[in-house]
Amino acid sequence: MILNELLSTVKPLAVVGQTDIDITGVNIDSRRIKEGHLFVAQQGTQVDGHKFIPKAIELGARAILCENMPKVKESGVTYVQVESTEDAVGKVATLFYGNPSKKLKLVGVTGTNGKTTIATLLYNMFRKFGYRCGLLSTVCNYIEDEAIPADHTTPDSIELNYLLHRMVEAGCQYAFMECSSHAIAQKRIGGLEFVGGIFTNLTRDHLDYHKTFENYRNAKKAFFDGLPKTAFAITNADDKNGMVMVQNTRAVVKTYSTRAMADFKAKILECHFGGMYLEIDGREVGVQFIGKFNVSNLLAVYGTAVMLGEKPENILLVMSTLKSVSGRLDPIQSSDGYTAIVDYAHTPDALENVLKAIHEVLDGKGHVITVCGAGGNRDKGKRPLMAQEAVKQSDKVIITSDNPRFEDPQDIINDMLAGLDAQQMKKVVSIVDRKEAIRTACLMAQKGDVILVAGKGHEDYQEIKGIKHHFDDKEVLREIMNVEK
């Protein structure tokens, strides 16, 4: 594509060099630059991309998009200065890949918890309806059956447009994606066109990045502010921020609720570890999920399918066949009669929801043993809250390592324990080694009890000092419990 065309949606402050040159690729990572590429120098949260301009040119970049013009300019290279490369890169990537989000129906899901479940269930549901679909999620990206590993909840804008472009080439009619607060704030989804957006809920998370809850909330809200009037916005009326999210949107607003008047409503008729019987908009359906929070997730899926034109009876028929997402309330039964559940819950609210779901099924007939930790180099303020939530709804709690990253695991554990008083500490033991913590929980468990192993869910690694070591909670449990996959 000619550079002039790529720059048609951005406003250059200055241009040095020719703009009628052919661009063969766009990249923000200098290591991926090839001959004829455009290198976008971004001011990242960790490093400044401007430092890598010489490396990009050395590898063959023919043009540079930057905020600060380099003092030394190479001949034969075009330099384009813009006010914000963060704002420009999505627009450029969208054009380079032929505006792929216009060529399929793209639905975005945002909120603190439930994004992965909702996006994945929509992907699975619409494939069962017979459509070709793509998925962009925390667990994995999919183009129909092709799995593409996910490094972030939402890829960078260039990778995002590339994946959407590949979905279009594969004949996908729908794409469902998680929209993280980081991605919205960093304008990674800039230039994309959505036919719909879903809000799940909002609780404390990512304050290491956003600094305040208001900033975090406003990042989520910006997604709905940007929806066109042709789109729909489905929001959770049970969350106190549900209507805040859509107060300035131009999209058609619909609500879902398990407690109040709403466009889409549901209630639990019966619940057990194998699933629930629900009433959704006056129709009964059996589902293979447990927990009130999953009723909300399923309502969001139902409402979205209705807004996309599917018939309610067909939606509920397919919904009854859907299974839980990997690492979300994932049960393993032991031969000794207790149940272990692996879940991704890594915020106080998510932990509260999962434990409530377990108690709803147990109905006072067994004990709950919770194994949990907190991630390193992330929001420290939620650590004591996580411990408090675990203690509040568990008979025994084992505080252990999650992904310590570059922190000392014991320091993270101490931060969690600092939120507990002497009485609460009587329920708690701390074991740094996660495998030993899980083994100890299994030794404690009696027939009818439930072990919750929280925090990592689908992850198959533990990140320590910048290195990802293989670690899978489900594998560890199966090994200890002597249960085959």
Side-chain angles (χ1 to χ4, degrees), residues 202-320:
L202 201 69
T203 60
R204 182 191 179 110
D205 201 12
H206 302 304
L207 297 197
D208 54 303
Y209 175 78
H210 294 288
K211 306 304 180 190
T212 68
F213 184 81
E214 288 70 25
N215 289 344
Y216 177 50
R217 181 189 64 201
N218 291 341
K220 300 286 190 187
K221 182 177 178 294
F223 170 67
F224 296 97
D225 291 349
L227 289 176
K229 63 182 180 181
T230 53
F232 61 82
I234 296 181
T235 191
N236 184 357
D238 294 336
D239 188 281
K240 63 182 179 182
N241 288 289
M243 298 315 294
V244 174
M245 289 292 132
V246 295
Q247 65 186 12
N248 299 119
T249 190
R250 292 172 294 164
V252 175
V253 175
K254 296 290 181 181
T255 57
Y256 63 94
S257 172
T258 61
R259 300 197 300 260
M261 290 296 293
D263 296 297
F264 307 110
K265 285 200 66 178
K267 66 179 180 181
I268 299 173
L269 301 176
E270 191 180 317
C271 185
H272 48 85
F273 274 124
M276 297 180 286
Y277 285 102
L278 307 177
E279 182 184 287
I280 296 180
D281 283 355
R283 294 178 171 92
E284 291 186 16
V285 61
V287 297
Q288 300 174 57
F289 299 81
I290 64 168
K292 285 181 182 175
F293 69 96
N294 266 328
V295 180
S296 291
N297 291 338
L298 290 167
L299 260 181
V301 170
Y302 173 83
T304 301
V306 168
M307 294 305 291
L308 290 172
E310 299 302 316
K311 292 180 179 178
E313 54 269 30
N314 293 343
I315 298 168
L316 295 179
L317 182 64
V318 171
M319 187 180 284
S320 68

Side-chain angles (χ1 to χ4, degrees), residues 289-452:
F289 299 81
I290 64 168
K292 285 181 182 175
F293 69 96
N294 266 328
V295 180
S296 291
N297 291 338
L298 290 167
L299 260 181
V301 170
Y302 173 83
T304 301
V306 168
M307 294 305 291
L308 290 172
E310 299 302 316
K311 292 180 179 178
E313 54 269 30
N314 293 343
I315 298 168
L316 295 179
L317 182 64
V318 171
M319 187 180 284
S320 68
T321 69
L322 297 176
K323 294 186 179 352
S324 181
V325 176
S326 175
R328 269 66 173 177
L329 272 172
D330 222 340
I332 302 169
Q333 299 291 335
S334 84
S335 56
D336 295 326
Y338 65 86
T339 304
I341 290 176
V342 173
D343 194 88
Y344 189 53
H346 62 283
T347 65
D349 182 67
L351 196 56
E352 178 189 14
N353 284 335
V354 170
L355 285 165
K356 275 184 179 177
I358 291 168
H359 281 291
E360 284 163 17
V361 178
L362 272 180
D363 197 23
K365 294 170 185 165
H367 295 102
V368 177
I369 304 163
T370 297
V371 180
C372 67
N377 304 106
R378 296 291 187 269
D379 177 14
K380 291 187 178 183
K382 72 178 180 182
R383 292 175 185 174
L385 303 178
M386 292 283 290
Q388 288 166 12
E389 201 54 62
V391 168
K392 191 190 302 180
Q393 295 197 70
S394 308
D395 297 283
K396 284 287 183 184
V397 176
I398 303 173
I399 305 289
T400 187
S401 298
D402 191 295
N403 288 320
R405 299 185 177 89
F406 290 96
E407 284 193 70
D408 184 327
Q410 188 61 57
D411 290 342
I412 300 170
I413 290 170
N414 291 342
D415 285 344
M416 295 184 75
L417 297 177
L420 306 176
D421 60 30
Q423 189 64 30
Q424 290 172 317
M425 283 295 293
K426 291 179 181 178
K427 285 187 179 182
V428 179
V429 293
S430 63
I431 301 172
V432 173
D433 186 295
R434 190 173 179 92
K435 184 171 185 177
E436 285 308 308
I438 294 172
R439 189 188 306 279
T440 302
C442 291
L443 289 170
M444 288 179 176
Q446 302 293 315
K447 185 177 180 179
D449 290 349
V450 175
I451 298 169
L452 170 63

Side-chain angles (χ1 to χ4, degrees), residues 58-103:
E58 184 185 316
L59 290 172
R62 290 201 67 192
I64 306 295
L65 190 67
C66 57
E67 293 177 15
N68 306 310
M69 278 284 192
K71 290 179 181 177
V72 178
K73 299 175 183 66
E74 298 287 337
S75 62
V77 176
T78 302
Y79 297 83
V80 180
Q81 184 183 17
V82 292
E83 187 175 330
S84 167
T85 49
E86 186 176 78
D87 184 56
V89 65
K91 297 170 183 175
V92 169
T94 297
L95 272 179
F96 183 81
Y97 286 109
N99 213 336
S101 62
K102 263 190 171 180
K103 298 171 183 175

